Every structure is written in C-alpha cells, then in structure tokens.
C-alpha cells in the first residue's frame, strides 16, 4: 500500500514539474483567457439596456455578469482540453501499450496528470481571478453566500472536475473501436456549448425547448459542468433542490467512472500492438 501511494505521489510530482517547465507559456495562455470577460460585460450590459424588462427569467444584469464570472470558475475546473483526443491518439499510434506492460493504471495516470495541470493553473490564475472578482464585486449584489452554500459550491466544483474528466476520458476510450474521434468530439463540444450553461443560464434555454425535451435538459449531466455550481453560488438552487442536485451530480460522476473503466477494460481486450 505504501509503495503504491509513493508511486502515485512521484507521478503527481513529476507531472507538476513538467507543467512548470513551460510556466512562461502556461502563464501567458492563462492570462489571455481573462480577456473575454470584458466582451461579456459589454455584451450583457447592451442586452439588458435594449429590453424593457428588469430581468430575464429571474436574472438581472448584475446576476447575469456574476453568473458568467462564476461559470468561468466552473469551466476552469471541468474543462479537459486534449484529454479525449490525446487518449484516441495514443491508441491509434500504439503508445497505449506501455500501460499494458507497466504496473501503472492508465486512468489513474491521466487523472493525476490533470490534477497537476489544475494545481499549476490555479497557482498561476489565483491572482488574476482575485483581481477580476474584486473589480467586479458590485455585480454580486447579494454579497457572499453563507458558509453552507460556499461548501456546496466547492463540493460541486470538485465533482465538476471529476465529471468533466471521466466524461471526456470515456469519449477517448471510444478510440479502441474508432481510431478517429474528432467528429464525435465536435458533436460533444456542440452539445456542451449549449447544455453546460457556459454561454447563458439554462433557464433561458429551457424557455425555447419543446415540452418533451425539457425533462431531458433538466437531468442531463452537462449542466453540472458550469451551470449548477454558478446557480448554487447565486442562490438560484437551494433547500431540497440543492441536496437533490448534489446527489444527481455525484450519481453522474459514478456513472461515468464505471463507463470509463468498462470501456478501458473492454478496449484492452480488443487492442493489438505490433512492433516498436
């Protein structure tokens, strides 16, 4: 047990050091991600200035901008750039066979690499995040929520990370059956764009969906990547709805852990590597 923990700790430490090698490029890329904030503030200010209503489906202009800032945090936890395509590429190019002959779990290794990536990302981004939220503090009209809501918000962010990882890893495992998953990833990103709540609250989207599709949108897993944590922080989800929401998010995490594991084990059985 101790040797296994020592192995995983060594892998995590190496992954962090690998990220820090390119810290200059990493820091620049991280800072550039904050530029769209200015565009979104101007966009939603213009939208609310052009309508007569004080708010849209319970969201005022300040709520909307605060929501967008919070979804940035949710997306920072749950986004896994290059994970699925990287798994499919390793399968296609035969690199995956090293996990068959070495005593290292593929999913565990990838998970530690992503944890290292997030640790370095937040070490770099905590300053800009703090500055942005300080400058935009007036948009949070209700102020800081109570400690219970903050705890639920943090828990939802951690599960958003787990959900985003295992969901995209499961898509990458499809590479055992289809060597190219780019088109599938494009479809996934398209659905993610609308149903995660990244661009606007799902309350807006539900108003345009047909009645038979609204229950599907209500229970689909993508909402827990961005919409759900932001709605929890803003107090849009509370009481029993908050409890059920956290339980549903945890259930989706477990579901995709099982799917990812089963896909990997079945994929290993059909995988063939030659040469090298």
């Amino acid at each position: 047990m101790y040797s296994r923990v020592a192995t995983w700790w060594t892998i995590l430490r190496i992954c962090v050091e690998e990220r820090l090698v390119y810290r200059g490029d990493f820091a620049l890329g991280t800072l550039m991600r904050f530029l769209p904030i200015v565009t979104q503030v101007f966009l939603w200010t213009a939208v609310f200035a052009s309508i007569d209503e004080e708010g849209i489906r319970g969201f005022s202009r300040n709520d909307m901008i605060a929501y967008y800032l919070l979804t940035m945090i949710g997306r920072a936890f749950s986004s896994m750039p290059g994970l699925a395509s990287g798994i499919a590429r390793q399968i296609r190019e035969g690199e995956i066979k090293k996990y068959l002959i070495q005593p290292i779990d593929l999913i565990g290794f990838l998970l530690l690499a992503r944890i290292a990536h997030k640790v370095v990302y937040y070490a770099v981004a905590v300053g800009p995040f703090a500055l942005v939220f300080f400058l935009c503090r007036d948009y949070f009209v209700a102020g800081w929520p109570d400690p219970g809501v903050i705890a639920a918000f943090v828990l939802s962010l951690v599960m958003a990370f787990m959900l985003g990882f295992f969901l995209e890893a499961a898509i990458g495992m499809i590479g055992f059956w289809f060597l190219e998953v780019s088109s599938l990833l494009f479809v996934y990103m398209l659905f993610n764009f609308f149903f995660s709540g990244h661009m606007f609250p799902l309350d807006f989207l539900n108003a345009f969906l047909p009645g038979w599709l609204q229950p599907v949108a209500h229970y689909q897993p993508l909402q827990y990547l961005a919409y759900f944590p932001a709605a929890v922080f803003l107090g849009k989800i509370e009481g029993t709805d908050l409890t059920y929401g956290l339980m549903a998010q945890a259930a989706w995490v477990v579901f995709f852990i099982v799917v990812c594991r089963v896909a990997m084990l079945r994929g290993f059985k059909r995988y063939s590597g030659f040469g090298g």
Side-chain angles (χ1 to χ4, degrees), residues 3 59 214:
S3 60
F59 282 81
Q214 290 183 8

Side-chain angles (χ1 to χ4, degrees), residues 240-258:
T240 55
D241 290 339
L242 175 57
T243 304
Y244 290 142
L246 291 172
M247 292 173 62
Q249 189 179 19
W252 277 118
V253 172
V254 173
F255 173 79
F256 280 106
I257 288 175
V258 173

Side-chain angles (χ1 to χ4, degrees), residues 26-221:
F26 194 81
L28 182 61
T30 300
L31 292 175
M32 289 302 102
R33 292 190 180 94
F34 287 88
L35 291 181
I37 295 175
V38 179
T39 305
Q40 289 294 323
V41 171
F42 287 148
L43 171 65
W44 287 108
T45 299
V47 169
F48 279 91
S50 64
I51 60 177
D52 296 330
E53 294 85 358
E54 293 184 355
I56 304 175
R57 302 190 69 83
F59 282 81
S60 65
R61 186 203 66 159
N62 288 345
D63 284 342
M64 192 60 233
I65 295 174
Y67 171 85
Y68 177 75
L69 295 173
L70 291 167
T71 57
M72 282 184 53
I73 297 179
R75 292 285 299 171
F77 270 83
S78 62
S79 64
M80 302 289 160
L83 176 60
S85 59
I87 294 174
R89 179 182 54 77
Q90 290 191 63
I91 296 171
R92 184 173 61 251
E93 297 181 358
E95 298 177 14
I96 207 78
K97 60 178 178 287
K98 63 186 178 185
Y99 297 103
L100 296 174
I101 58 177
Q102 295 176 352
I104 297 177
D105 176 61
L106 167 63
I107 296 175
F109 180 83
L110 294 174
L111 180 60
L112 286 175
R114 289 291 158 169
I115 291 174
H117 174 88
K118 297 300 181 185
V119 167
V120 176
Y121 173 81
Y122 279 101
V124 173
V126 65
F129 263 120
L131 178 62
V132 166
F133 276 79
F134 175 76
L135 295 176
C136 298
R137 61 189 182 282
D138 291 340
Y139 294 116
F140 293 85
V141 179
W144 284 90
D146 61 61
V149 174
I150 292 179
F153 173 66
V154 173
L155 179 60
S156 68
L157 288 177
V158 174
M159 288 197 289
F161 167 77
M162 299 292 288
L163 179 61
F165 174 82
F166 284 103
L167 199 160
E168 292 210 24
I171 295 174
M173 296 299 173
I174 296 175
F176 282 111
W177 289 266
F178 301 95
L179 293 181
E180 184 56 69
V181 298
S182 299
S183 299
L184 184 62
L185 272 175
F186 178 78
V187 173
Y188 165 71
M189 295 305 296
L190 183 64
F191 279 95
N192 193 337
F193 187 75
F194 286 104
F195 291 102
S196 71
H198 181 207
M199 290 302 298
F200 42 74
L202 295 183
D203 310 71
F204 295 5
L205 183 64
N206 290 336
F208 300 100
L209 293 177
W212 63 270
L213 194 55
Q214 290 183 8
V216 178
H218 181 69
Y219 293 107
Q220 52 87 17

